[in-house]
Amino acid sequence: MSISGMNGTGQRRPTMKEVAARAGVALKTVSRVVNEEPNVSPELTAKVQSAIKDLNYTPNESARMLRRGKTGTIAVVIRDIGDPFFASLGRAVELWARSSGSVVMIGLTDEDPERERDVCLEFVARRPDALIMAPIGETQEYLAPHVDAGMAVVTIDRPAHGIEADAVLADNAGGIDQAIDHLVRQGHRRIAYLGDDERIFTARERVVAYRAAMARHRIDVDEDLVHLSEPTTEGIGITLSAVLDRPEPATALLSANNMTTAEVLRGLAGRRDQVALVSFDDLALGDLLKPGLTAVAQSADVMARTAIQLMTERLPEPHRPGRTVRVPVKLTIRGSGEIPPAS
């Protein structure tokens, strides 16, 4: 006997045919009651429901959803569940799914385009109703046949390419503008920028915004103060040495994502009160640091709720044009970004 024919206790599941026999009705009548179809008398409905209770019958939910053209499954493909932003996103989607009777599958890309493709194709083979993803690859055209077949795709944090999809993006340029404006008001002009790999959409948008904001303040960008790389402990340590241990050191740091910020704080141990720091992305305990972390905060919950709204709107209209929603960000002032330049 196959595992699919067993219940959680190892016993065989009762069948719909057995329910029909117990109730003394036709199999079609049981099917109509289980699927909540009309045109079944209250008397027959009561008989079927009683037999279902007596036999402890549970409908095959997967088969029922497939008959309706839906699977009740949402696939979520993100960078790393260890990243606080994406962890919050995954939790928000899971809470929604729990309340709506859906199931969530979560896969991780580790910022690898090939891994993204493999995970997405593995998931879509299971026919989810929708896919929420944070793309890293140059194109998501490999999903086109599934989108054409009616699967809803919503991207978060980054847009998709090669398919019709909705996107929920942070106001990256606005956040960088707020950070630079704030540091300039504190008297800083030598502002180092520490960002992520430029393959990532947010990394590209933010470094472009940094250059534009500096130009707006008529500050020439010193390219030796611009560093774009994967945020590792060793790499950020080398970067901090390069921008701070020099004849004309940076007096302020703009860290462009939470993972980089965590490594910057580690590398600044012992001199956090000597250089200003503003982070794009907040940290969970940012308010408990000494000094507190000044950060451009983006809400993963708001972005997730927006993605879910776009997803539910797209499900009945899978072929409508894609929409992009920019979610506002907010500068939270706590102390680290208010340290003045050394005189």
Side-chain angles (χ1 to χ4, degrees):
M1 182 182 296
S2 68
I3 293 176
S4 62
M6 309 290 287
N7 63 21
T9 64
Q11 297 175 326
R12 186 179 65 81
R13 291 192 185 108
T15 66
M16 193 178 290
K17 186 180 293 186
E18 289 169 333
V19 172
R22 172 66 69 94
V25 300
L27 182 61
K28 182 63 177 176
T29 301
V30 176
S31 176
R32 284 176 176 164
V33 172
V34 167
N35 291 296
E36 299 175 357
E37 296 177 11
N39 304 322
V40 182
S41 71
E43 181 185 357
L44 290 181
T45 298
K47 285 184 176 181
V48 171
Q49 289 174 342
S50 177
I52 286 173
K53 184 177 179 180
D54 290 345
L55 293 172
N56 196 24
Y57 170 75
T58 358
N60 185 332
E61 194 64 27
S62 296
R64 183 164 63 166
M65 295 294 282
L66 282 169
R67 282 194 296 272
R68 294 177 178 177
K70 301 294 181 184
T71 62
T73 305
I74 308 299
V76 178
V77 178
I78 54 179
R79 168 183 184 162
D80 179 4
I81 204 69
D83 183 315
F85 173 79
F86 288 115
S88 297
L89 166 66
R91 175 167 175 75
V93 176
E94 164 63 24
L95 288 173
W96 171 86
R98 196 182 305 169
S99 68
S100 67
S102 299
V103 175
V104 176
M105 303 183 291
I106 296 181
L108 310 179
T109 66
D110 296 323
E111 298 294 23
D112 181 341
E114 289 301 317
R115 176 66 181 159
E116 172 201 297
R117 179 188 176 96
D118 291 346
V119 171
C120 285
L121 289 178
E122 183 177 332
F123 278 178
V124 299
R126 290 165 168 75
R127 297 179 61 184
D129 299 329
L131 169 65
I132 297 176
M133 67 182 300
I136 179 61
E138 292 183 4
T139 180
Q140 285 69 51
E141 193 173 3
Y142 58 87
L143 291 173
H146 306 280
V147 173
D148 291 344
M151 183 181 71
V153 177
V154 180
T155 68
I156 198 161
D157 201 42
R158 310 146 190 194
H161 299 282
I163 57 172
E164 199 71 63
D166 295 323
V168 181
L169 311 176
D171 182 8
N172 293 306
I176 294 294
D177 282 350
Q178 291 180 55
I180 295 296
D181 290 352
H182 183 71
L183 289 171
V184 170
R185 282 196 297 270
Q186 312 309 309
H188 295 281
R189 295 184 67 82
R190 293 190 59 75
I191 303 170
Y193 180 89
L194 283 60
D196 211 335
D197 190 325
E198 278 193 286
R199 292 180 308 157
I200 301 170
F201 171 81
T202 50
R204 293 195 302 272
E205 277 210 331
R206 292 172 192 175
V207 72
V208 168
Y210 161 78
R211 295 182 188 280
M214 295 286 277
R216 181 163 48 79
H217 285 286
R218 295 185 172 85
I219 302 174
D220 292 333
V221 173
D222 182 343
E223 294 299 332
D224 289 337
L225 298 183
V226 179
H227 290 262
L228 305 173
S229 61
E230 184 181 352
T232 63
T233 301
E234 181 181 6
I236 295 299
I238 294 171
T239 294
L240 289 175
S241 179
V243 301
L244 297 177
D245 303 329
R246 52 187 294 129
E248 291 185 276
T251 62
L253 306 174
L254 174 51
S255 173
N257 62 78
N258 54 15
M259 303 295 278
T260 295
T261 299
E263 295 300 341
V264 167
L265 290 169
R266 190 194 309 274
L268 285 178
R271 52 176 176 175
R272 289 180 190 166
D273 58 349
Q274 299 171 20
V275 57
L277 169 64
V278 175
S279 170
F280 196 118
D281 281 342
D282 205 353
L283 297 183
L285 301 178
D287 58 327
L288 301 182
L289 297 171
K290 300 293 183 182
L293 180 66
T294 294
V296 175
Q298 55 177 337
S299 172
D301 285 343
V302 171
M303 294 182 77
R305 288 198 301 270
T306 304
I308 290 165
Q309 180 181 343
L310 289 173
M311 179 193 73
T312 56
E313 291 173 359
R314 177 167 282 278
L315 282 169
E317 299 181 85
H319 303 298
R320 68 166 170 76
R323 298 206 314 248
T324 297
V325 176
R326 287 276 182 180
V327 175
V329 296
K330 180 183 179 181
L331 181 69
T332 302
I333 296 172
R334 298 198 186 105
S336 70
E338 293 69 70
I339 298 171
S343 54

